Amino acid sequence: MKVIAINTSPRPDGNTAMLLGKVLEPIASEGIETEIFQLGGKLIAGCKACYTCFRAKDRRCIQTDDPVNDCILKMAEADGIILGSPTYFADISPELKALIDRAGLVAMANGAIFRRKVGAAVIAVRRGGEIHAFDTINHFFLISQMIVPGSCYWNFGIGRDKGEVANDAEGLKTMRILGENMAWLLKKIQ
């Protein structure tokens, strides 16, 4: 089994990455392979609505000059997908929005390739807007027919400056329990 965590923050070692790491710790301790893929900070184009993916049916987006096809491949091969984002004006990062739009369409065009995978959203937030960002990711998971585990609270950690989420005890606990629940669910549905 494998879980891919995609960090869409431009800070590869910032608060979002820290939270993703906390979720992956209990998953890895259960013997499940984990990987963090750094997508944030790269120039990612949005969906062109060309629908070539529906004609080609090759699990790829026609756009090849960014890492989205690499992400789609990793997501298709994984049993669990964690999408992590900072909160930008009460929503997800632009890199994640582009990934959701393109990967979502490619998945639909190829027989719902994310169906029944386990998906979890992880949000870093300074002050507010995290619930809308959390909902955006979960809407993608649900329309993709994925299974979404819960935690003891909504999956976000509070912190603005790099490393500040380490002071959010409740957020870190939420991430740990999310990881435990995700590992349990993956083993149950294997």
Side-chain angles (χ1 to χ4, degrees):
M1 282 188 294
K2 182 170 184 178
V3 172
I4 181 74
I6 300 174
N7 182 8
T8 67
S9 169
R11 297 177 181 167
D13 57 353
N15 290 324
T16 304
M18 221 175 197
L19 295 170
L20 289 170
K22 290 295 178 189
V23 177
L24 292 177
E25 284 174 9
I27 294 170
S29 73
E30 288 292 325
I32 298 168
E33 184 183 349
T34 63
E35 178 185 352
I36 294 182
F37 186 89
Q38 180 61 38
L39 184 65
K42 296 178 171 71
L43 188 58
I44 309 296
C47 180
K48 293 181 178 183
C50 66
Y51 293 95
T52 301
C53 54
F54 278 86
R55 289 188 298 280
K57 296 195 183 303
D58 61 359
R59 295 182 168 207
R60 299 180 53 78
C61 176
I62 193 170
Q63 299 180 71
T64 58
D65 55 352
D66 62 31
V68 168
N69 281 321
D70 295 334
C71 283
I72 293 169
L73 176 63
K74 287 179 179 292
M75 292 164 71
E77 291 175 346
D79 302 290
I81 301 167
I82 304 171
L83 298 178
S85 179
T87 305
Y88 287 173
F89 291 91
D91 214 338
I92 57 176
S93 70
E95 294 91 343
L96 182 51
K97 179 60 175 146
L99 175 64
I100 284 174
D101 290 349
R102 289 170 58 191
L105 207 56
V106 167
M108 287 178 185
N110 288 276
I113 60 176
F114 303 142
R115 183 180 62 225
R116 298 190 183 126
K117 292 183 184 291
V118 176
V122 169
I123 305 295
V125 62
R126 179 190 75 83
R127 187 170 192 91
E130 72 284 352
I131 295 301
H132 183 76
F134 181 67
D135 287 347
T136 297
I137 298 171
N138 283 319
H139 287 138
F140 165 69
F141 290 149
L142 296 173
I143 200 168
S144 298
Q145 303 178 51
M146 293 174 66
I147 303 162
V148 180
S151 186
C152 59
Y153 201 71
W154 314 126
N155 307 339
F156 67 85
I158 299 171
R160 183 188 71 184
D161 295 327
K162 185 176 167 182
E164 228 173 29
V165 294
N167 301 322
D168 180 11
E170 185 177 16
L172 296 178
K173 176 184 173 187
T174 300
M175 297 304 135
R176 178 182 52 78
I177 293 173
L178 175 62
E180 291 169 358
N181 290 343
M182 193 166 188
W184 178 88
L185 180 57
L186 283 163
K187 287 185 168 193
K188 287 291 185 186
I189 62 175
Q190 181 182 21

